Amino acid sequence: MSLKKKDLLGIKDMDAEEIGEILETAKSMKKLLLAGTKRTPHLQGKTVVTLFYENSTRTRLSFELASKYMGANAANITASGSSVAKGETLIDTGRTIDVMGTDVLVIRHPLSGAPHLLAQHVRASVVNAGDGMDEHPTQALLDLFTMREKKGRIEGLRVAIVGDVLHSRVARSNIWALQKLGASVCLAGPTTMMPREIERTGAAVFETAHEAVAGADVVMALRLQLERQKSGLFPSIREYSRFFGVDTGRLRLAKPDVLLMHPGPVNRGVELTSAVADADFSAIDEQVTNGVAVRMAILYLLARREN
Ligand code: NCD
C-alpha cells in the first residue's frame, strides 16, 4: 500500500479508496501503539520536519511522536523562533528545510493554500496540518477513524457538526471526507458563521442546533475561533453557548448511543459543558490517541511512496 500523490494537501481531492487505505493502515499502527513498545523501524533513516506558523498542541506533538515511534529523525520549527521572524519567505524557508534532507514536511499556516504553494517548490512530501480556513485533512482522517472504530462504519451515519463552521478547516475537511464515505452531514451555527453556499458541498444546513442534532449518530462541536474573527459575528459568548453550545439536554435529541466529538482545544462552558466533554460518550481523548496512529499511517504511506 502507498499513496498516489507526493503530498497530502486536502481531502477534497482524495478519493474514497485513498482514504480507506489510510484508515486501514492506521488500524495496524494503533495496534503497534497499544502494544506498548512504541518502536518500529518503519521510518528508519527518514526525516520529518514540522513547520508551524500557528499554535498547536495536539497536531504538532502527534506528528512528532508518530515520527519518533517509527524511528524517523524528527525536528520542529515554529515561525516565531526561526528566520521567518527575520522576514524570510515561506518558499525560502521550505527550501532550506528541504535541502537539509527532509523527506516529509508537515506545515500549518494561517493562509489557505500555503501548503499547496510549498509543495510545488520542495522535493519532500508536504502534509497540510491546517491551512487558514481551508482544510485540516489529517484531523478529518482521525475523526473518521474514531467514528469507524466506535460505530463500526461510516456509511449511513448522520453526523451533526455544530458551531463556527465559517472559520473551521476541521469542518470543511470533515464535510468532504464524511460524504465521500457515505455519511450524511448536518450543519448548524449562527448564520453569521455559516459560509455562503455551503449547501453546495452536499451538507444540510439548519438554523438551530436542535434540528441538526436530532437523530444524529455523531455530534461534533467546533471551537469558537475567536482569533480568526472580526468582532460582531454574535452578540456574546453567553448567547453563542446558549444557542449552539452542546449540553446534556441538547444531546438527548440525538440517538441514544450518540458519540460526542471535538477537535480540541475545547473552550469549556462555551462549545461544550464539562458534563458532556467528560462523559462516557465523549470521544475527545480517543480522538487524540487516534491522531497519533493516523499520522503514523500517513507518514509511513508517504515515505514508502518515495521508495
Ligand atoms: C483545530 C485547528 O487548529 O484547526 N485544532 C486541531 O488541530 N485539533 C481546531 C481548532 O483549533 O479549533
Side-chain angles (χ1 to χ4, degrees):
M1 287 203 279
S2 66
L3 293 177
K4 290 179 206 145
K5 301 188 199 86
K6 170 175 91 77
D7 311 292
L8 198 154
L9 301 174
I11 300 284
K12 195 178 175 185
D13 43 44
M14 287 173 80
D15 57 36
E17 194 191 330
E18 283 174 291
I19 295 172
E21 201 165 298
I22 293 171
L23 299 183
E24 268 317 298
T25 310
K27 248 196 219 169
S28 326
M29 294 303 177
K30 184 149 186 197
K31 278 192 202 128
L32 285 173
L33 261 184
L34 298 181
T37 48
K38 290 189 286 196
R39 267 259 166 265
T40 76
H42 287 78
L43 290 187
Q44 201 124 49
K46 300 286 180 187
T47 300
V48 178
V49 176
T50 55
L51 171 62
F52 274 54
Y53 290 76
E54 277 186 6
N55 296 343
S56 173
T57 303
R58 281 152 272 265
T59 306
R60 202 182 95 185
L61 185 59
S62 61
F63 270 110
E64 192 172 332
L65 292 178
S67 311
K68 288 183 170 160
Y69 292 162
M70 292 190 294
N73 307 303
N76 170 254
I77 304 179
T78 47
S80 59
S82 70
S83 287
V84 170
K86 299 180 185 172
E88 189 172 54
T89 66
L90 170 65
I91 293 171
D92 283 341
T93 302
R95 281 177 35 182
T96 304
I97 297 168
D98 198 38
V99 296
M100 285 193 199
T102 300
D103 299 287
V104 184
L105 209 174
V106 181
I107 178 175
R108 169 171 287 189
H109 199 283
L111 291 178
S112 302
H116 307 68
L117 176 70
L118 186 64
Q120 290 166 17
H121 291 90
V122 295
R123 188 201 44 82
S125 289
V126 174
V127 179
N128 180 0
D131 64 323
M133 288 155 41
D134 178 37
E135 280 225 41
H136 192 349
T138 66
Q139 177 71 40
L141 290 164
L142 77 88
D143 290 337
L144 289 187
F145 183 88
T146 306
M147 286 180 219
R148 206 164 82 165
E149 195 174 58
K150 290 286 187 182
K151 296 279 171 201
R153 66 194 164 104
I154 300 288
E155 199 173 351
L157 290 181
R158 179 181 163 110
V159 181
I161 302 182
V162 181
D164 181 1
V165 179
L166 179 63
H167 299 99
S168 178
R169 52 199 179 202
V170 175
R172 254 168 282 267
S173 285
N174 267 297
I175 290 170
W176 298 124
L178 285 163
Q179 295 187 112
K180 280 176 200 256
L181 269 63
S184 64
V185 179
C186 304
L187 304 172
T191 42
T192 49
M193 291 183 197
M194 197 52 76
R196 260 178 246 283
E197 305 196 353
I198 190 77
E199 300 88 350
R200 288 172 69 168
T201 59
V205 181
F206 296 95
E207 270 174 29
T208 66
H210 288 70
E211 291 166 284
V213 167
D217 298 283
V218 179
V219 173
M220 184 185 293
L222 301 171
R223 186 174 65 87
L224 187 57
Q225 308 228 343
L226 290 170
E227 77 276 21
R228 288 187 216 283
Q229 289 178 22
K230 297 177 191 81
S231 59
L233 290 183
F234 60 98
S236 69
I237 291 188
R238 227 170 98 193
E239 194 128 324
Y240 176 91
S241 74
R242 196 168 135 226
F243 288 104
F244 294 99
V246 177
D247 59 9
T248 319
R250 206 149 268 165
L251 282 181
R252 266 193 216 112
L253 302 165
K255 296 247 175 82
D257 61 345
V258 68
L259 187 68
L260 176 68
M261 300 177 73
H262 188 298
V266 174
N267 291 307
R268 282 175 183 262
V270 181
E271 304 104 33
L272 297 177
T273 58
S274 279
V276 299
D278 301 327
D280 290 347
F281 52 77
S282 163
I284 297 173
D285 285 348
E286 273 132 315
Q287 284 174 271
V288 176
T289 306
N290 292 338
V292 180
V294 166
R295 285 160 182 140
M296 284 171 79
I298 291 165
L299 294 173
Y300 171 68
L301 291 170
L302 285 174
R304 244 174 89 92
R305 193 198 155 273
E306 273 193 344
N307 295 333

